[in-house]
Amino acid sequence: SLSCRLYCEEEKDPKRRSCQTVLAQAIDVVVRSFAPILPHLAEEVFQHLPYKKDSEGVFRTGWINASSAWKKPGIEEAIEGAVAMRDSFLGSISGKNALEYEVVIVIEPGLLFELMEALQAEETSSVSQLNEIMMASQTTLLSELPKETPTDANITKGTFLINMEGGYIREETSYKVIALPVAKAKCPRCRRYTSDSSSTPCPRCLKVIAEKGSA
């Protein structure tokens, strides 16, 4: 999902830029953390950072002071819940390529469903944060089982305990993860199975290519 954001999205797409921001923040924290014990290496890395810096050297930047903006209520629980569902999905396909599947996540209405909606606003998406975590070609988020489920579908059940506000909010919710073999072809650009033909990019990639051509 990291490589897809960096190399498949349009250059100024918010998803790509947000990924670059996180990487920049991560390298900044790592370099300043090991500077006291590896000063020369830290300074060399700092001098080669490919963006404008506030200080001339790593030892003039001060100690780590992460912004409170990085602490978004509920996002940690949302990611942990999505990772638990991804583990259920990957376990159900026994080491096969996750991109060869589409995933249907069924969660009863409640807090966990709302947290997953924060990662995927649309019912079905191939480019949402939730789908990136699931590592599938497409993810569908539902509050009840679909009326028709293919016989070759892998259905895995699980539960996830939400623990927020220091234990003040606790809610255990059941979920189902349905793994379905994809029906579409592999996109030659992003490698996801979201294209109508193996020789034609998927709709998302066609849009990015068109925007590059018009720039």
Side-chain angles (χ1 to χ4, degrees):
S1 60
L2 176 65
S3 60
C4 191
R5 279 197 180 199
L6 289 175
Y7 302 115
C8 295
E9 297 292 354
E10 196 272 327
E11 183 178 0
K12 295 183 179 180
D13 188 282
K15 291 193 290 292
R16 183 175 185 273
R17 296 302 297 272
S18 66
C19 182
Q20 291 177 310
T21 299
V22 170
L23 290 174
Q25 179 71 11
I27 189 65
D28 179 75
V29 170
V30 170
V31 169
R32 287 199 277 170
S33 295
F34 68 65
I37 55 175
L38 295 170
H40 299 293
L41 176 61
E43 186 63 34
E44 183 177 359
V45 172
F46 185 84
Q47 293 301 329
H48 284 83
L49 292 177
Y51 52 84
K52 185 178 180 180
K53 301 172 283 292
D54 296 330
S55 302
E56 295 181 357
V58 66
F59 289 100
R60 296 186 179 183
T61 61
W63 191 236
I64 301 166
N65 185 23
S67 171
S68 59
W70 291 94
K71 183 63 176 178
K72 186 176 180 181
I75 194 64
E76 181 178 352
E77 290 74 20
I79 299 297
E80 289 178 349
V83 168
M85 295 174 200
R86 180 189 66 192
D87 291 344
S88 297
F89 161 55
L90 295 178
S92 72
I93 61 175
S94 303
K96 296 179 181 177
N97 184 0
L99 288 174
E100 295 179 358
Y101 291 83
E102 60 178 287
V103 176
V104 178
I105 299 175
V106 183
I107 309 172
E108 59 189 48
L111 182 55
L112 182 59
F113 187 87
E114 293 174 3
L115 291 175
M116 293 304 106
E117 282 189 314
L119 300 177
Q120 178 169 301
E122 309 89 349
E123 183 176 285
T124 300
S125 177
S126 62
V127 296
S128 68
Q129 295 181 68
L130 179 58
N131 188 65
E132 289 181 348
I133 294 172
M134 296 304 294
M135 300 167 59
S137 278
Q138 179 175 282
T139 297
T140 298
L141 180 62
L142 302 173
S143 59
E144 58 183 17
L145 276 171
K147 294 181 180 180
E148 296 183 3
T149 303
T151 56
D152 59 345
N154 291 327
I155 303 178
T156 305
K157 299 180 180 179
T159 59
F160 181 74
L161 176 63
I162 298 172
N163 189 346
M164 299 174 60
E165 304 295 336
Y168 181 75
I169 299 176
R170 289 175 61 88
E171 183 176 300
E172 187 172 36
T173 306
S174 61
Y175 63 83
K176 296 181 179 68
V177 177
I178 306 172
L180 302 168
V182 292
K184 292 196 172 185
K186 180 192 287 187
C187 171
R189 184 173 182 272
C190 70
R191 304 300 181 183
R192 288 179 176 171
Y193 290 78
T194 52
S195 180
D196 294 328
S197 169
S198 59
S199 60
T200 306
C202 66
R204 186 274 300 270
C205 287
L206 284 173
K207 181 180 178 182
V208 173
I209 293 171
E211 290 175 348
K212 284 185 176 180
S214 61

